[in-house]
């Protein structure tokens, strides 16, 4: 499946996906399908997780990258390949290239998480850090390709990439033949397009629902316009789907075959990630948790059995810490509050005593004594508390006010 820029790109077919599946035998894992009782009760129908977070390199990206690079002509392989990515695509290209004996260079932003840089190098790529955002990194990679003759491996806008990602859809049909709805995150659209091609060709009755982060949702306006449009400054914690413009090739497929595209907010994403960790014991990155966020946001909207495609698990530990705290806050399980009190010996002990009575676990305490807003004998204490939900948060606030404290926020 080698396509030239000079030729019109043919549509991706079921035969292309089946060919990709044969090519990936012994390369990509057939990842697990896990049922989730909590979401099943919530949705009122069986809900299963397709665990691409357990794929080699930690995401589905290996599938498309391998198929694309394996389809290169001998002289193209000899020139090497180049890619630009902040994480998952970088690792997929690096491992696929190593397995195929092709030299790879990957451009990554200077701010890319160190674990992702290290993993990409470990898989065999030469990593070059350039730019602060992916757009700058992408331009550098394309310039490198023009200068050296290396083949640029696009993360989603190529039929081979889409065919490789579509193999996930074939596995879903094998593992859950009765599936009614497949929910999949969308960034540029390669994964959703591939899954839609594979699934709709075999089971046209299956509903395909795409999910985007509200701050990086380029597909809704693009679908409304009938062609890909760009959005300015996409912003979301889900960096795996933070794409400002749909790919031309996947857009054509998604427009035809995907039944609906939904958006989810940051609170929903962090809550979904927390659910995957606590309830399913799965480490999932925010982009991979986007289908779960959609199910949590409107569970009655999905006809079962439902398969939520967890696309990846490559989450930086520092980001994971922040996202988990955000998710706990969204669920009312984490409370930050500032309290004004008299600055005298024993005042903090008395405050902590009130919190002990209402069973709030104190995680952190900090004092402010020099703010011009404070009176001569006043101090402000910021408390970070672990709580048991929204009702408990309200109970904590009421207990502090009843005890005579001024609660700032």
């Amino acid at each position: 499946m080698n396509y030239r820029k000079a030729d019109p790109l043919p549509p991706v077919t079921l035969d292309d996906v089946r060919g990709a599946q044969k090519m990936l035998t012994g390369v990509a894992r057939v990842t697990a399908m896990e049922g989730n009782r909590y979401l099943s009760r919530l949705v009122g129908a069986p809900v299963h997780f397709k665990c691409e977070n357990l794929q080699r390199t930690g995401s589905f990206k290996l599938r498309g990258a391998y198929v694309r690079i394996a389809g290169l002509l001998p002289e193209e392989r000899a020139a090497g390949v180049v890619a630009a990515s902040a994480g998952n695509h970088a690792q997929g290209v690096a491992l696929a290239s190593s397995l195929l004996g092709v030299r790879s260079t990957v451009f990554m932003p200077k701010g890319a998480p160190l674990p992702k840089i290290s993993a990409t190098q470990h898989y065999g790529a030469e990593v070059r850090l350039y730019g602060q955002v992916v757009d700058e990194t992408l331009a550098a990679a394309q310039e490198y390709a023009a200068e050296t003759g290396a083949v640029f491996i696009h993360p989603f806008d190529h039929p081979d990439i889409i065919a490789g990602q579509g193999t996930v859809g074939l596995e879903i049909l094998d593992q859950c033949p009765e599936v009614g709805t497949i929910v999949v995150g969308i960034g540029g659209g390669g994964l959703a397009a591939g899954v839609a091609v594979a699934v709709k060709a075999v089971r046209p009755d299956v509903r395909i629902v795409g999910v985007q982060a509200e701050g990086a949702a380029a597909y809704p306006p693009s679908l409304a316009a009938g062609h890909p449009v760009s959005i300015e400054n996409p912003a979301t914690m889900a960096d795996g789907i933070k794409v400002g413009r749909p790919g031309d090739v996947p857009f054509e497929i998604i427009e035809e075959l995907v039944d609906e595209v939904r958006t989810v907010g940051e609170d929903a994403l962090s809550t979904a990630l927390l659910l995957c960790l606590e309830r399913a014991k799965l480490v999932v990155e925010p982009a991979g948790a986007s289908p779960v966020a959609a199910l949590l946001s409107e569970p009655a909207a999905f006809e079962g059995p439902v398969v939520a495609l967890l696309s990846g698990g490559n989450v930086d530990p520092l980001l994971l810490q922040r996202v988990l705290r955000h998710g706990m806050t969204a669920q009312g399980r984490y409370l930050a509050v500032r309290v004004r009190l008299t600055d005298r010996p024993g005042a903090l002990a008395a405050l902590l005593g009130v919190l002990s009575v209402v069973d709030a676990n104190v995680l952190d305490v900090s004092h402010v004594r020099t703010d011009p807003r404070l009176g001569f004998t006043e101090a402000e204490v910021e408390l970070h508390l672990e709580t048991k939900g929204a009702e408990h948060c309200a109970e904590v606030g009421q207990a502090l006010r009843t005890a005579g404290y001024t609660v700032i926020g």
Side-chain angles (χ1 to χ4, degrees):
M1 289 180 285
N2 187 61
Y3 304 114
R4 300 291 184 176
K5 287 185 177 180
D7 301 325
L9 293 173
V12 181
T13 67
L14 177 60
D15 286 342
D16 292 331
V17 180
R18 284 176 171 161
Q21 189 176 45
K22 291 180 181 178
M23 193 180 296
L24 288 168
T25 301
V27 176
R29 294 172 180 159
V30 177
T31 50
M33 183 84 74
E34 298 286 345
N36 186 271
R37 293 179 181 176
Y38 176 81
L39 282 175
S40 296
R41 288 195 298 269
L42 199 65
V43 172
V47 174
H48 306 279
F49 290 160
K50 175 61 173 168
C51 300
E52 280 297 287
N53 59 310
L54 303 179
Q55 183 58 261
R56 297 178 71 178
T57 75
S59 89
F60 70 96
K61 288 288 189 176
L62 171 65
R63 298 173 184 262
Y66 188 92
V67 173
R68 174 76 173 102
I69 297 169
L72 297 177
L73 298 175
E75 58 268 29
E76 292 173 320
R77 291 197 189 194
V81 300
V82 61
S85 168
N88 288 347
H89 182 59
Q91 294 174 64
V93 168
L95 179 56
S97 299
S98 294
L99 294 173
L100 291 163
V102 177
R103 185 178 69 257
S104 64
T105 303
V106 176
F107 285 76
M108 303 181 76
K110 291 180 180 179
L114 291 177
K116 293 186 178 182
I117 295 172
S118 177
T120 303
Q121 293 172 326
H122 176 78
Y123 289 129
E126 176 190 350
V127 173
R128 299 192 179 191
L129 301 179
Y130 186 91
Q132 300 299 325
V133 297
V134 174
D135 285 345
E136 295 173 350
T137 307
L138 182 64
Q142 291 173 323
E143 183 178 346
Y144 177 90
E147 291 174 352
T148 65
V151 178
F152 178 67
I153 306 300
H154 200 283
F156 49 81
D157 205 10
H158 193 281
D160 286 354
I161 295 288
I162 294 170
Q165 320 305 29
T167 59
V168 181
L170 295 181
E171 290 180 17
I172 289 173
L173 292 178
D174 286 341
Q175 294 170 312
C176 186
E178 71 280 11
V179 61
T181 304
I182 297 174
V183 191
V184 53
I186 298 182
L191 177 60
V195 169
V197 166
V199 171
K200 290 288 190 177
V202 180
R203 287 275 313 281
D205 59 304
V206 174
R207 186 169 178 80
I208 309 291
V209 178
V211 183
Q212 292 209 285
E214 288 176 356
Y219 265 90
S222 297
L223 292 169
H227 59 83
V229 299
S230 299
I231 59 171
E232 295 294 328
N233 302 317
T236 174
M237 69 175 72
D239 58 350
I241 54 174
K242 189 171 69 173
V243 178
R245 182 186 184 279
D248 292 328
V249 183
F251 176 81
E252 181 181 351
I253 295 169
I254 287 172
E255 184 180 38
E256 179 182 354
L257 297 180
V258 171
D259 297 283
E260 180 186 6
V261 176
R262 291 173 165 258
T263 61
V264 294
E266 300 298 282
D267 284 355
L269 286 167
S270 56
T271 299
L273 188 150
L274 187 61
L275 182 144
C276 289
L277 189 62
E278 288 189 325
R279 300 276 184 152
K281 315 307 176 190
L282 292 170
V283 176
V284 181
E285 62 191 89
S290 59
V292 179
L295 293 173
L296 289 172
S297 298
E298 195 175 350
F302 300 90
E303 182 180 347
V306 177
V307 172
L309 208 171
L310 309 182
S311 58
N314 291 319
V315 57
D316 177 51
L318 294 177
L319 174 62
L320 180 62
Q321 183 181 33
R322 294 198 300 270
V323 171
L324 290 178
R325 179 166 290 185
H326 187 89
M328 290 178 69
T329 302
Q331 290 189 337
R333 294 168 54 190
Y334 180 86
L335 178 64
V337 62
R338 286 181 296 135
V339 177
R340 192 166 294 174
L341 45 72
T342 302
D343 190 12
R344 58 177 175 75
L348 179 60
L351 172 62
L352 297 180
V354 173
L355 296 173
S356 175
V357 170
V358 291
D359 201 24
N361 185 33
V362 179
L363 302 176
D364 190 31
V365 178
S366 61
H367 286 80
V368 175
R369 292 185 172 89
T370 58
D371 194 296
R373 297 171 303 158
L374 297 174
F376 179 71
T377 62
E378 288 183 322
E380 206 170 83
V381 176
E382 182 172 346
L383 301 154
H384 292 183
L385 309 173
E386 184 180 2
T387 49
K388 301 174 183 179
E391 292 184 2
H392 191 208
C393 288
E395 182 185 350
V396 170
Q398 184 58 50
L400 291 171
R401 284 185 286 270
T402 301
Y405 293 102
T406 300
V407 180
I408 309 299

